[in-house]
Each structure stands twice: as C-alpha cells, then as structure tokens.
Amino acid sequence: MNEKIVIFKNEKTGDLIHSYNAIKKIIRNNVNKEIIIYLSHYNFEMNFLFDSPNVRIKSINEKISLIDKFRIVNYFLKKKIKTVYIFKPSFYLFILPVFFRKIKFYGICVNKNSYLRPPNILRLFLTNFVINDRGTAKIRPSIHDLHLKLISNGATSYNFSSLDNKSNKDNKSYLFLHFNKFKFSLLNWGLNELFIIIDKLKDNFDYIALTNDLNDNETNNLLSKKYSDFGKTKVKYYPNIKGKSLFELIGNAQLVLSFHGMITSIGALQNTKVLDLFNCTITNKKDFYKYKNAFHEFKPKINNYEFIIPRKDCLKTLKKINNIIMYGRKINSKAF
C-alpha cells in the first residue's frame, strides 16, 4: 500500500451522503491502495460508512484553516500519492495540482453564470473534471451522478441507494420525525405546530421517533418533559442523538418525515421511505429556476421518495401529508 489515494469531502453530512456511492466505488476498486478520506468536523462521525482495512479518515475544517493547509501540504510532500479526488470544490484544493504535477487530480467544478470555481486557468491542471452548472435553466444532473461520472469514464446512469441493512429490533412500525427549529420558523411554525403534526400522525404508526437539533438545550428540556411517558404519548424522544445511532434510527423507520437535508438524504441512502418537506419561496422566474435546480441537484433518484412543498398553513400541509401516507404513489400506508 505504498501508493495512496486522497479524497476530499469536508462538507456537511447531507452533502457527504450524496458522495457515498462514488467514494465506496473508489474503495472497492482500489483494495490494494491506501485511501485517505478528509472529512469535516460536521460529518466525521459518519466515518463508519467507509470502514475498510485500506481506509484512513482525517478531519479538517469545512472552511479549510491555515493549520489544515499546512498539514495537507506536509502530508502531500511526505507521502507517495497517486490520485486525488476533489469532491468539495474549495479554491485552495484546486491550487494543489499546480504544485504537485505528478499527481492525478480529479475534481467537481462549479459554474454559475460568470462565476467559476475554480477559474479556467486552474482547471488546466486537472487530469479530469465535471461541471456542476448551477446557472443553467435546464434540469441538471444530480450531484450524486456527477460524482460517479467523474470516476466512471462519463457514465451517468446510477441508482442512488446501495444500503439496505435494516435491523429493527422491536419490529415496530414507527415514523421518524425531526424538528428543525430554523426550517420550521421559515413557515412561522414552532413547537405548537410540531405538537399538532405529532397528534395528527401518531395513530398511523406504532409510535413516533422524535429528534431535535443538536445542543438545543431549551427545546430538549421541553420535549423531554412533554414526552417522558411513552405509554401515554406514543412518542420516543431522542435528544442529541448523532452518528451511527442516528443513522440506524433513521434506517429502521417505516417512514422518514423531515425538511429537506441531512435527514432525508440518510433515509434515502438506506432505502427508507421518505417524505421530504421541500421548503421554498418562489416570487419570480429566477426563484423558480433556482429552487428547481437545487431540487434536482440533491433529490435522490429512488422509488420510495416523495416530496411536498409545505405551506404556512400547518393544517393544509398536514392534509397533504396524510393524503400521501394513505394514497401516495411511491409511499402509502398499504406498503407499511
């Protein structure tokens, strides 16, 4: 294992999930090489996804610090690196090929109208790259497919999910529900709306597994008290759950209900049924194309993934949710 492959994916956890299949393919195709994966502090606890004898995980900041830069350069100078995959389009990472000419660099580049990351001059030093065109009005490939295209000689047709290792110990049908205070607030929702959603949906499942944002102590205390008696509430509350425990709780659910992001991506990766609340505010044509492209960039292409655009009227949104649970084309109660 003298030759090494380096992968940079120092982003949020949701973004990491969209790179999962590409990273796993690199690992499977290079069992005789040591693979170094740089993860951010946000997604470092998901390193178990890449557990393999030939894989080493390193942690750096999402916004690469001066110390991180020094350590990266030092590592590149000392080790025999064959290939580097830049899955996080950071300007600093695209400078490395200028100085390390013997290494093959592959990267995801971003175009957005006149904005280019990296600029064309730096792209000349890449062995190969694909472009995520965020400025186009056309439907663009998902970031998942772009990653696989980068490492697979241009092939673009893939299934998103490759994990289906559920191990629900209590064999209960539960709804996984996540409370994201910020995204709730965008609709002028709060805890009262969360309680309404729980009361309206709890009879459709054996129970509801409820999670909240990490380190929100005030909300954690309120929810812990309200749902302390599982026998009466049919709600199991999991304060500050993260890493592998969170991953498994999502994967074993009968249905995941959450605003678009990390939670819905983790559910999709495990082939769990997902109802994605895709929040957007469209006031003009520009907004429409922005949200449409964002949706296609990050929406997993699996058969049990539904979405709705929630309204500020919580009860109208709940009516949509119930209709999909009962009669949805991809997910419905008959399949539970």
Side-chain angles (χ1 to χ4, degrees):
M1 291 190 183
N2 290 328
E3 291 186 344
K4 303 181 187 300
I5 295 173
V6 173
I7 301 171
F8 288 99
K9 192 58 185 175
N10 50 307
E11 296 183 280
K12 297 289 197 299
T13 303
D15 296 306
L16 173 66
I17 297 302
H18 292 279
S19 302
Y20 171 81
N21 283 334
I23 295 174
K24 289 294 286 187
K25 187 170 184 177
I26 293 171
I27 294 171
R28 287 193 299 267
N29 291 347
N30 297 277
V31 293
N32 295 322
K33 297 182 179 67
E34 185 176 13
I35 297 175
I36 312 300
I37 305 176
Y38 282 90
L39 300 179
S40 72
H41 301 310
Y42 294 109
N43 58 35
F44 188 77
E45 290 186 353
M46 305 299 286
N47 61 55
F48 64 88
L49 290 174
F50 310 109
D51 187 26
S52 178
N54 65 321
V55 173
R56 304 290 180 269
I57 306 293
K58 291 180 176 289
S59 178
I60 58 174
N61 290 289
E62 182 184 18
K63 294 183 179 179
I64 301 174
S65 69
L66 184 61
I67 294 176
D68 290 331
K69 294 175 182 178
F70 173 79
R71 288 174 176 169
I72 291 169
V73 170
N74 188 51
Y75 186 81
F76 273 50
L77 289 171
K78 291 183 176 180
K79 304 298 181 179
K80 187 177 181 181
I81 298 171
K82 178 184 179 183
T83 307
V84 175
Y85 293 95
I86 302 174
F87 287 158
K88 162 70 185 294
S90 167
F91 180 80
Y92 169 75
L93 297 177
F94 286 113
I95 296 176
L96 295 175
V98 178
F99 300 98
F100 296 95
R101 302 287 185 89
K102 293 183 179 181
I103 300 174
K104 293 181 179 180
F105 284 84
Y106 297 79
I108 301 290
C109 300
V110 176
N111 288 4
K112 190 173 182 181
N113 302 320
S114 60
Y115 171 77
L116 303 177
R117 182 173 31 153
N120 286 326
I121 187 65
L122 291 181
R123 298 181 188 190
L124 296 175
F125 294 93
L126 297 172
T127 304
N128 191 22
F129 63 88
V130 296
I131 296 173
N132 183 10
D133 188 357
R134 290 180 171 171
T136 181
K138 299 178 181 179
I139 295 176
R140 65 179 188 260
S142 70
I143 192 66
H144 167 269
D145 285 0
L146 287 175
H147 281 64
L148 283 165
K149 180 180 179 180
L150 179 66
I151 68 170
S152 304
N153 298 319
T156 58
S157 179
Y158 305 90
N159 292 322
F160 176 85
S161 181
S162 61
L163 286 181
D164 192 9
N165 55 351
K166 305 176 191 306
S167 58
N168 192 335
K169 295 179 181 179
D170 60 12
N171 294 316
K172 297 291 187 179
S173 164
Y174 66 87
L175 169 70
F176 180 94
L177 177 63
H178 181 72
F179 176 67
N180 184 305
K181 182 184 290 186
F182 173 73
K183 292 182 179 179
F184 266 61
S185 70
L186 294 176
L187 295 169
N188 295 326
W189 292 4
L191 285 175
N192 286 336
E193 283 71 24
L194 173 66
F195 300 152
I196 291 171
I197 291 171
I198 290 173
D199 288 340
K200 294 291 184 181
L201 297 182
K202 64 183 179 181
D203 291 336
N204 294 322
F205 303 88
D206 291 329
Y207 65 91
I208 291 177
L210 176 65
T211 62
N212 177 40
D213 297 333
L214 293 176
N215 303 317
D216 180 2
N217 294 327
E218 181 181 0
T219 305
N220 280 341
N221 291 334
L222 289 170
L223 294 177
S224 294
K225 290 178 182 178
K226 183 173 180 64
Y227 296 115
S228 60
D229 189 343
F230 173 72
K232 291 182 179 179
T233 64
K234 290 182 63 176
V235 176
K236 289 185 179 181
Y237 179 53
Y238 297 83
N240 291 324
I241 187 172
K242 55 185 177 179
K244 191 172 184 179
S245 297
L246 175 64
F247 190 87
E248 292 177 345
L249 186 65
I250 294 171
N252 288 324
Q254 205 65 43
L255 175 67
V256 170
L257 176 62
S258 177
F259 281 91
H260 183 82
M262 176 188 73
I263 301 296
T264 55
S265 296
I266 291 176
L269 181 64
Q270 298 182 86
N271 209 24
T272 304
K273 293 179 176 65
V274 173
L275 179 48
D276 182 335
L277 303 180
F278 190 79
N279 192 23
C280 56
T281 303
I282 299 174
T283 59
N284 52 49
K285 192 174 182 179
K286 184 178 179 181
D287 288 340
F288 171 77
Y289 284 119
K290 179 182 75 171
Y291 284 111
K292 184 186 79 167
N293 272 332
F295 179 76
H296 285 288
E297 180 177 347
F298 294 107
K299 178 186 177 295
K301 296 177 181 177
I302 59 173
N303 291 325
N304 52 7
Y305 195 102
E306 296 259 23
F307 81 97
I308 62 170
I309 297 175
R311 302 183 183 184
K312 290 187 176 182
D313 188 322
C314 182
L315 292 179
K316 288 184 178 179
T317 300
L318 261 172
K319 186 176 180 180
K320 282 187 178 182
I321 292 172
N322 264 320
N323 284 338
I324 291 178
I325 290 176
M326 297 299 295
Y327 312 110
R329 181 170 61 89
K330 296 182 180 180
I331 56 174
N332 58 68
S333 59
K334 296 177 183 177
F336 290 170

